[in-house]
Amino acid sequence: ISWSVAVAGRKLWKFLPPGQTHLLYDATGRHVPEDFAANTEGVVWAPCRCSGATLRCFPNLSLARPSTVVQRPRELLFVPSGWYHTVRNLDDALSINANLLDASNGHWALPRLEKEVKQVQRTGQTDDDAALEGKAGEKNDTDPPK
């Protein structure tokens, strides 16, 4: 559960309900796209979130039906637990945000936090940090031909 209050600027939010989250993953089941769009058709090749330079195949992305919201200054936005979302600033923006940990999301949030803590203790960085630094050029069998 989280919320966001826009103080200045507009933000573009895209939400996908929990029942559609599986549609975001690439053919390996390990990567999600940087962004997802409504009403795309067919197999989608897109930059992945952890390595923006690498295109990956997202075979089910066209089936996802996100909801899109533009948040304006002085508006409060609530993000329910389990809803995948992306947000992009449309203007220079300032917001106040909070993430809440409670009984509705603790069953998956706590194991993820424990994994991140162990990763940082072992390597000094999170998996996302490592992916952004060292794996941007990584290839796998789902990369498109050049």
Side-chain angles (χ1 to χ4, degrees):
I1 300 172
S2 65
W3 56 263
S4 173
V5 175
V7 177
R10 297 171 304 138
K11 294 176 170 284
L12 175 66
W13 292 78
K14 294 180 186 176
F15 296 95
L16 202 63
Q20 292 186 35
T21 302
H22 67 283
L23 300 172
L24 295 175
Y25 288 91
D26 72 349
T28 68
R30 294 187 311 238
H31 302 277
V32 295
E34 281 184 349
D35 196 4
F36 54 94
N39 301 320
T40 55
E41 294 186 17
V43 173
V44 177
W45 291 89
C48 102
R49 185 170 173 226
C50 66
S51 59
T54 302
L55 290 180
R56 295 188 184 275
C57 175
F58 296 94
N60 298 309
L61 190 58
S62 64
L63 302 174
R65 296 293 177 249
S67 298
T68 303
V69 174
V70 175
Q71 182 185 24
R72 291 175 174 74
R74 299 184 313 271
E75 290 182 344
L76 171 91
L77 192 83
F78 174 77
V79 181
S81 279
W83 281 63
Y84 186 87
H85 60 279
T86 62
V87 62
R88 183 170 52 97
N89 292 339
L90 298 174
D91 308 311
D92 288 339
L94 174 67
S95 62
I96 300 169
N97 306 285
N99 294 298
L100 307 173
L101 181 63
D102 66 12
S104 71
N105 58 19
H107 64 282
W108 61 266
L110 288 174
R112 182 173 175 184
L113 287 171
E114 289 170 351
K115 178 184 173 197
E116 289 290 328
V117 167
K118 288 177 184 173
Q119 176 74 16
V120 170
Q121 288 172 338
R122 191 171 63 253
T123 67
Q125 59 188 9
T126 67
D127 285 339
D128 287 342
D129 292 337
L132 290 172
E133 285 181 10
K135 297 181 183 176
E138 178 183 290
K139 300 286 285 173
N140 70 28
D141 61 345
T142 61
D143 289 331
K146 292 197 176 204

